[in-house]
Amino acid sequence: MLGRLCDDLIGAGVHGLTPLGSTGEFAYLSFTQRRRVVEVAVQAARKRVPIVAGVASTTIADAVAQAREWQRLGCDGILAILEAYLPVADEGVYAYFEAIANAVSLPLVLYTNPNFQRSDLSLPVIERLSRIANVRYIKDASFNTGRLLSIMERVAGRVQVFAASSHIPACVMLIGGVGWMAGPACVAPRQSVALYELRRKGDWSAAMGLQRRLWSLNQAFAKYNLAACIKGGLELQGYAVGAPLPPQAPLSADGIEDVRRALAAIGAL
Amino acid sequence: MLGRLCDDLIGAGVHGLTPLGSTGEFAYLSFTQRRRVVEVAVQAARKRVPIVAGVASTTIADAVAQAREWQRLGCDGILAILEAYLPVADEGVYAYFEAIANAVSLPLVLYTNPNFQRSDLSLPVIERLSRIANVRYIKDASFNTGRLLSIMERVAGRVQVFAASSHIPACVMLIGGVGWMAGPACVAPRQSVALYELRRKGDWSAAMGLQRRLWSLNQAFAKYNLAACIKGGLELQGYAVGAPLPPQAPLSADGIEDVRRALAAIGAL
Amino acid sequence: MLGRLCDDLIGAGVHGLTPLGSTGEFAYLSFTQRRRVVEVAVQAARKRVPIVAGVASTTIADAVAQAREWQRLGCDGILAILEAYLPVADEGVYAYFEAIANAVSLPLVLYTNPNFQRSDLSLPVIERLSRIANVRYIKDASFNTGRLLSIMERVAGRVQVFAASSHIPACVMLIGGVGWMAGPACVAPRQSVALYELRRKGDWSAAMGLQRRLWSLNQAFAKYNLAACIKGGLELQGYAVGAPLPPQAPLSADGIEDVRRALAAIGAL
Amino acid sequence: MLGRLCDDLIGAGVHGLTPLGSTGEFAYLSFTQRRRVVEVAVQAARKRVPIVAGVASTTIADAVAQAREWQRLGCDGILAILEAYLPVADEGVYAYFEAIANAVSLPLVLYTNPNFQRSDLSLPVIERLSRIANVRYIKDASFNTGRLLSIMERVAGRVQVFAASSHIPACVMLIGGVGWMAGPACVAPRQSVALYELRRKGDWSAAMGLQRRLWSLNQAFAKYNLAACIKGGLELQGYAVGAPLPPQAPLSADGIEDVRRALAAIGAL
């Protein structure tokens, strides 16, 4: 099922795949399950597009072990996530991401999601990390688009920014973002690629027209449990992916209707 | 001093003036002081640009009294703000803004700033308020630019959106905003007008170039006390406006240097 | 009405009255209205118990003016509250309370309520303030009872602590608090005094028995708008105090039932 | 080392041991490491005191597997913790704890720590869970002591309450709590037992005297990373437990001094 989905997404033109992000339920999977997800994605991609797999842990040792294993399995990049239970100071945050970067030769995407993680990346830490050669991208899933512009100005020439589903991708691309790397794109791959192409042409008017139609999908993802949302949407598209892992609840009837409407409006059903 | 500042801003081409916003320290002024601020602004403007004055209170009765007085003094619009101490339910929030709208014949700008106010406007309340004839604009000072797009889609054709300093004005204009109404514009009027003109021409590339240079001013406003920041900036420009009202502290030496640099970089010193 | 209520409370044995606290809707009243409240309370008390009136403002100048006026009207103490719109640093917080203390010869109760105010008192600021001669008490309305013990240890011998309705009064008295100064006591004066008397005798077992019965009243105050709650309770007791000031809503039917049950259970109806 | 510590704690008179709580770094250990911790604790205790081991996961399946394994290893109770990444609704929270209770025959302690976990137990869920036969205790590590009294009233006769380090143990015992189950007790076992004995005798005055001296230890735990704090304290007492797992930082020099002073003041060094 995951293999077929990866294959279909590549067929729809996406420029990369990111297994084990927030929407991909990394936080609900054991190491063994995570490894299987990565293997399937790598095999399905057959090097047609890069695989950027999520590494997430509360400890440096475990994160480094994941990153090395994902590289060994053939991934092309690492999406690095710091989980925390007790608070971590800036020095610890830096040490965590630095250790992952040093453990692999792959490029890193820093990922911070202050809504779900108990740690965040401060601007000074991002600037320090941007000076590590293979720290190349950042995905900030706050709702604060202005913060992305502040990040861009501090790391210009070294690190590039991806939009998350909490941002308006067209806006992130206007201010200099290189794309969007987010759950909703998984059920709207053609439209997401089309948005990217309009941005490449600099046709901001057409891009905003498309963006406006796509936005209701982002709104659904903000309103409901991310994993329930993506699985509900994929089920509507014919992928029997089932429900999110308990005790998470499947998408409610209202949620299914919202997602169905959002997908239908953009021709993704 | 306020009169001269208003005159200079109009001379610099701004399309309106908003006395008694957050940066204008409304929350630190008595009714008598607020009335004097409005009088001075109205007289200085001599109908060359509209005056949209802030109305802010914890009670409906007081807000209505302010709004009526501002209309009597010759204002052209009302920036309506709900202060709260104890929590207010949606029904109360609606009743507050509805009462102000009904008390005057002027157009209203709804204003919500979840960072400083203890109340917020939910999307359902905004939608209900948008159906009142003279509720015409909204300024949302959250950091959540995506929320602005969600608002726009719900109130399209009835209410228009202004950017606050927490948003990137160029982004807000890209998604359909009609301008920006924010503290930093007060020390960068020419550049703010230039940004607006580039947006009107649809020259997004030039707009982003200018926006990028302007952004460090917004960053300073996010970092320091708003009132200290604007007063520090105005002092640098030769307006003897003094310090914010105690116990607020004046801008620190570091803050002055940040603002000076930001203003110098855009030719506003 | 307010005069009769003050008289009845004194008749019920309370050791003091605090007009213009949070429950007393200070944040919804003009200076003129606040002055009238103080006048009525002072006259009704006829020096039988001390009147400790609330002073609350965003500016030092206004707070000092209130404090001086309350002293002139015959108050016996000041409950000092810092309102804030933009953030205030520790130095400003200290300056605010210091200025009030210096403006009057009355003893001060510091009051901080992080749930409703946009400022808070840090432990270092409390310690500094405790060295001012007429800073004598503190009421901390957080939910953090442990913080009260930490405060007590830092200001022992200089400042004493009152319980707020968010704390369990019997616990605050066990750790060394001198009483409770809170909205619910206004509708349960006899029972509140009885609790205090049990504590004075050191009969903790009987105190907890009474405390347990009183707690459902505190729960109602935590669940509903404070002003709606107290006004609803007073109406049930035959005081025609009406509804909280709009846009605050009056107590819902469920709320009235909750308060009625809580009052009936302690014999306060 | 862990075995020796367990043995010493039992020798000091503690009434039970709780491996894999927050202070015990459960969130930083793999399943294999957690199992080893439980084994060592069970063997060291030799049935002299009950072992109540922590079960914590984001999924029901994993939590049930842990609980069954801890029972198989000879534990006497389960401390049940819900970790979350995406939000979980009340129904899911209930289902999680119910599944653990049904998977074992051991008594359960519900544990909620809103400061570190991304889920919390609402009062209605606690009440529902209290009706399951082997749900017998709750430890709420919020700072809200009043909430404990509200819980006690709703679950009286079915579930009993333990104090966490964020509460004042003497207060929790005054309102009806059965003890305290918290990190600091691990470095102050004799004094913690003495506090419990004073409570059993009903000597509240002596209990508060001791509590006051013990409080600076709780303050240190609130100020610094819990794991750094306990490991720093144990090192001072001669247990070579080392530093918390990276990227957590070891206790700073100031922290060590704070903990040393707190321990010395109660005769625990």
Side-chain angles (χ1 to χ4, degrees):
Chain A
M1 177 57 58
L2 177 58
R4 194 189 116 209
L5 175 60
C6 291
D7 198 57
D8 289 351
L9 288 170
I10 295 170
V14 303
H15 304 118
L17 292 172
T18 306
L20 301 177
S22 295
T23 316
E25 291 189 291
F26 76 80
Y28 300 86
L29 303 175
S30 67
F31 178 74
T32 310
Q33 292 168 314
R34 295 186 197 193
R35 185 169 48 199
R36 183 69 191 133
V37 166
V38 173
E39 276 175 354
V40 170
V42 168
Q43 288 162 14
R46 286 180 280 119
K47 290 291 171 193
R48 289 175 292 172
V49 299
I51 300 292
V52 181
V55 158
S57 187
T58 55
T59 65
I60 287 179
D62 183 38
V64 162
Q66 289 178 39
R68 287 196 175 125
E69 182 68 3
W70 297 178
Q71 173 163 301
R72 203 186 60 76
L73 292 173
C75 285
D76 306 283
I78 296 293
L79 178 74
I81 305 163
L82 170 56
E83 291 252 77
Y85 185 74
L86 305 174
V88 194
D90 269 10
E91 206 53 46
V93 174
Y94 179 80
Y96 177 87
F97 289 102
E98 181 195 34
I100 299 175
N102 288 343
V104 292
S105 57
L106 303 176
L108 244 68
V109 185
L110 306 175
Y111 177 38
T112 178
N113 192 329
N115 306 302
F116 301 133
Q117 294 156 11
R118 278 171 304 231
S119 63
D120 199 4
L121 280 157
S122 69
L123 263 70
V125 166
I126 293 171
E127 184 168 346
R128 280 182 68 196
L129 287 169
S130 76
R131 300 188 184 283
I132 299 174
N134 58 335
V135 171
R136 299 278 301 284
Y137 305 95
I138 184 166
K139 174 181 165 183
D140 170 299
S142 73
F143 290 99
N144 186 347
T145 306
R147 186 174 132 105
L148 297 190
L149 185 50
S150 298
I151 291 172
M152 283 175 195
E153 302 217 333
R154 282 182 94 133
V155 300
R158 298 188 300 276
V159 158
Q160 292 188 292
V161 171
F162 282 102
S165 68
S166 52
H167 298 285
I168 305 166
C171 285
V172 176
M173 294 194 279
L174 177 68
I175 63 174
V178 291
W180 86 310
M181 181 187 276
C186 185
V187 287
R190 278 187 180 74
Q191 298 78 358
S192 299
V193 171
L195 182 66
Y196 178 79
E197 291 302 329
L198 289 170
R199 173 255 184 194
R200 283 192 56 195
K201 287 189 217 152
D203 189 347
W204 293 107
S205 169
M208 258 322 290
L210 175 53
Q211 177 65 82
R212 209 173 287 280
R213 292 197 304 281
L214 279 166
W215 187 245
S216 55
L217 194 57
N218 291 49
Q219 287 184 288
F221 271 73
K223 191 169 169 189
Y224 303 105
N225 175 300
L226 284 181
C229 214
I230 197 73
K231 286 187 159 174
L234 288 170
E235 286 274 344
L236 290 171
Q237 294 179 330
Y239 298 91
V241 291
L245 291 170
Q248 295 180 96
L251 203 55
S252 64
D254 278 3
I256 291 172
E257 193 43 37
D258 268 13
V259 171
R260 184 199 305 278
R261 241 195 314 257
L263 292 175
I266 55 170
L269 268 195
Chain B
M1 178 57 58
L2 178 59
R4 193 188 116 208
L5 175 60
C6 289
D7 198 57
D8 289 353
L9 288 169
I10 295 171
V14 303
H15 304 119
L17 293 172
T18 306
L20 301 177
S22 295
T23 317
E25 292 188 290
F26 76 80
Y28 300 86
L29 302 175
S30 68
F31 178 74
T32 309
Q33 292 169 313
R34 295 187 196 193
R35 186 169 46 198
R36 183 69 192 133
V37 166
V38 172
E39 275 175 355
V40 170
V42 168
Q43 286 164 15
R46 286 181 280 120
K47 290 292 172 193
R48 288 175 292 172
V49 300
I51 300 291
V52 181
V55 158
S57 188
T58 55
T59 66
I60 287 179
D62 183 36
V64 162
Q66 288 177 39
R68 286 196 175 128
E69 183 67 3
W70 297 178
Q71 173 161 303
R72 203 186 62 74
L73 293 173
C75 286
D76 306 285
I78 295 295
L79 179 74
I81 305 162
L82 171 55
E83 292 251 77
Y85 185 74
L86 306 174
V88 195
D90 269 9
E91 206 53 46
V93 174
Y94 179 79
Y96 178 87
F97 289 102
E98 182 194 35
I100 298 174
N102 289 342
V104 292
S105 57
L106 304 176
L108 246 67
V109 185
L110 307 175
Y111 178 38
T112 179
N113 191 329
N115 306 301
F116 302 133
Q117 295 156 10
R118 280 171 302 233
S119 63
D120 199 3
L121 281 157
S122 69
L123 263 70
V125 166
I126 293 171
E127 182 167 348
R128 280 181 67 197
L129 286 168
S130 76
R131 301 188 184 283
I132 299 174
N134 58 334
V135 171
R136 299 278 300 284
Y137 305 95
I138 185 166
K139 174 182 165 182
D140 169 301
S142 72
F143 291 99
N144 186 345
T145 306
R147 185 175 133 105
L148 297 190
L149 185 51
S150 298
I151 291 172
M152 284 174 195
E153 303 217 331
R154 282 182 95 133
V155 300
R158 298 188 300 277
V159 158
Q160 292 187 294
V161 172
F162 282 101
S165 68
S166 51
H167 299 285
I168 305 166
C171 284
V172 176
M173 295 194 278
L174 177 69
I175 63 175
V178 291
W180 86 310
M181 182 187 277
C186 186
V187 287
R190 277 187 180 76
Q191 298 76 359
S192 298
V193 171
L195 182 66
Y196 178 79
E197 291 302 329
L198 290 169
R199 174 255 184 194
R200 283 192 56 194
K201 287 189 218 150
D203 189 348
W204 293 107
S205 169
M208 257 322 288
L210 175 54
Q211 177 65 82
R212 211 173 286 279
R213 292 197 304 282
L214 278 165
W215 187 245
S216 54
L217 194 57
N218 290 50
Q219 287 183 289
F221 271 74
K223 191 169 170 190
Y224 303 105
N225 176 300
L226 282 183
C229 215
I230 196 74
K231 285 187 158 174
L234 287 170
E235 285 274 344
L236 290 171
Q237 293 179 331
Y239 298 91
V241 292
L245 291 171
Q248 296 180 94
L251 202 55
S252 63
D254 278 4
I256 291 173
E257 194 43 38
D258 267 13
V259 172
R260 185 199 305 276
R261 242 195 314 258
L263 291 176
I266 57 170
L269 267 195
Chain C
M1 177 57 58
L2 177 59
R4 194 188 116 210
L5 175 60
C6 289
D7 198 57
D8 290 352
L9 288 169
I10 294 170
V14 303
H15 304 117
L17 293 172
T18 306
L20 300 177
S22 295
T23 317
E25 291 188 291
F26 76 80
Y28 300 86
L29 303 175
S30 69
F31 178 74
T32 309
Q33 292 168 314
R34 295 186 196 195
R35 184 169 50 196
R36 184 67 192 136
V37 166
V38 173
E39 275 175 355
V40 170
V42 169
Q43 287 163 16
R46 285 179 282 120
K47 290 291 170 195
R48 289 174 291 172
V49 299
I51 301 291
V52 181
V55 158
S57 187
T58 55
T59 66
I60 288 179
D62 183 38
V64 162
Q66 289 178 39
R68 287 195 175 128
E69 183 68 4
W70 297 179
Q71 173 162 301
R72 203 186 61 77
L73 292 173
C75 285
D76 305 285
I78 295 295
L79 178 75
I81 305 162
L82 171 55
E83 291 250 77
Y85 185 74
L86 305 175
V88 194
D90 269 11
E91 206 53 45
V93 174
Y94 179 80
Y96 177 88
F97 289 102
E98 182 195 36
I100 298 175
N102 289 343
V104 293
S105 57
L106 305 175
L108 243 68
V109 186
L110 307 175
Y111 177 38
T112 178
N113 192 328
N115 306 302
F116 301 134
Q117 294 156 11
R118 280 170 302 232
S119 62
D120 200 4
L121 280 156
S122 69
L123 263 71
V125 166
I126 293 171
E127 184 168 347
R128 280 181 69 196
L129 287 169
S130 76
R131 300 187 185 282
I132 298 174
N134 59 334
V135 171
R136 299 279 300 286
Y137 305 95
I138 185 166
K139 174 183 165 182
D140 168 300
S142 73
F143 290 99
N144 186 347
T145 305
R147 185 175 133 106
L148 297 190
L149 185 50
S150 299
I151 291 172
M152 284 175 194
E153 303 218 330
R154 282 183 94 132
V155 299
R158 297 187 301 276
V159 158
Q160 292 187 293
V161 171
F162 283 101
S165 68
S166 51
H167 299 286
I168 304 166
C171 284
V172 175
M173 294 194 279
L174 177 68
I175 63 173
V178 291
W180 87 310
M181 182 186 276
C186 186
V187 288
R190 278 188 179 75
Q191 298 77 0
S192 298
V193 171
L195 182 66
Y196 179 79
E197 291 302 329
L198 290 169
R199 174 256 183 193
R200 284 194 53 196
K201 287 189 216 149
D203 189 347
W204 292 108
S205 169
M208 257 323 288
L210 175 54
Q211 177 64 84
R212 210 172 287 281
R213 293 198 303 283
L214 278 166
W215 187 245
S216 54
L217 195 56
N218 291 49
Q219 288 184 288
F221 271 74
K223 192 170 168 188
Y224 303 105
N225 176 299
L226 283 182
C229 214
I230 196 73
K231 286 188 158 173
L234 288 170
E235 287 273 345
L236 290 170
Q237 293 179 330
Y239 299 91
V241 293
L245 292 171
Q248 295 179 97
L251 204 53
S252 63
D254 277 3
I256 291 173
E257 194 44 38
D258 268 13
V259 171
R260 184 199 306 276
R261 243 195 314 257
L263 291 174
I266 56 170
L269 266 196
Chain D
M1 178 57 56
L2 177 59
R4 192 188 118 209
L5 175 61
C6 290
D7 198 57
D8 290 351
L9 288 169
I10 295 170
V14 302
H15 305 117
L17 293 171
T18 307
L20 300 177
S22 296
T23 316
E25 291 188 291
F26 76 79
Y28 300 86
L29 302 175
S30 68
F31 179 74
T32 309
Q33 292 168 314
R34 297 186 196 194
R35 185 169 49 197
R36 183 69 191 134
V37 166
V38 173
E39 276 174 356
V40 171
V42 168
Q43 287 163 15
R46 285 180 281 121
K47 290 290 171 195
R48 290 175 291 172
V49 299
I51 300 291
V52 182
V55 157
S57 187
T58 54
T59 66
I60 288 179
D62 183 38
V64 161
Q66 289 178 39
R68 287 195 175 127
E69 183 68 3
W70 298 177
Q71 173 163 302
R72 204 186 61 77
L73 293 173
C75 285
D76 306 285
I78 295 294
L79 178 74
I81 304 162
L82 171 55
E83 291 251 77
Y85 185 75
L86 305 175
V88 194
D90 269 10
E91 207 53 46
V93 174
Y94 178 80
Y96 177 87
F97 290 101
E98 182 194 35
I100 299 174
N102 289 343
V104 292
S105 58
L106 305 176
L108 243 68
V109 185
L110 306 176
Y111 177 39
T112 178
N113 192 328
N115 306 302
F116 300 134
Q117 294 156 11
R118 280 171 302 232
S119 63
D120 198 5
L121 280 157
S122 69
L123 264 71
V125 166
I126 293 171
E127 184 167 347
R128 281 181 68 195
L129 287 168
S130 76
R131 300 187 184 284
I132 298 174
N134 58 335
V135 171
R136 298 278 300 284
Y137 305 95
I138 184 167
K139 174 182 166 184
D140 168 299
S142 73
F143 292 98
N144 186 347
T145 306
R147 186 175 132 106
L148 297 189
L149 185 50
S150 299
I151 291 172
M152 284 175 194
E153 303 217 330
R154 283 183 95 134
V155 301
R158 297 187 302 277
V159 159
Q160 292 187 294
V161 171
F162 283 101
S165 68
S166 51
H167 299 286
I168 305 166
C171 284
V172 176
M173 294 194 280
L174 177 69
I175 63 174
V178 291
W180 86 310
M181 180 186 278
C186 186
V187 288
R190 277 186 181 75
Q191 298 78 357
S192 299
V193 171
L195 182 67
Y196 179 79
E197 291 302 328
L198 289 170
R199 174 257 184 192
R200 283 193 54 196
K201 288 188 216 151
D203 189 347
W204 293 108
S205 169
M208 256 323 288
L210 175 54
Q211 176 65 83
R212 210 173 286 281
R213 292 198 303 284
L214 278 165
W215 187 245
S216 54
L217 194 56
N218 291 49
Q219 287 183 289
F221 272 73
K223 193 169 168 188
Y224 303 105
N225 175 300
L226 283 182
C229 214
I230 197 74
K231 286 187 158 173
L234 287 170
E235 287 274 345
L236 290 171
Q237 294 179 330
Y239 298 91
V241 292
L245 292 170
Q248 295 180 96
L251 204 54
S252 64
D254 277 4
I256 291 173
E257 193 43 37
D258 268 13
V259 171
R260 183 198 306 276
R261 242 194 315 257
L263 291 175
I266 56 170
L269 265 196

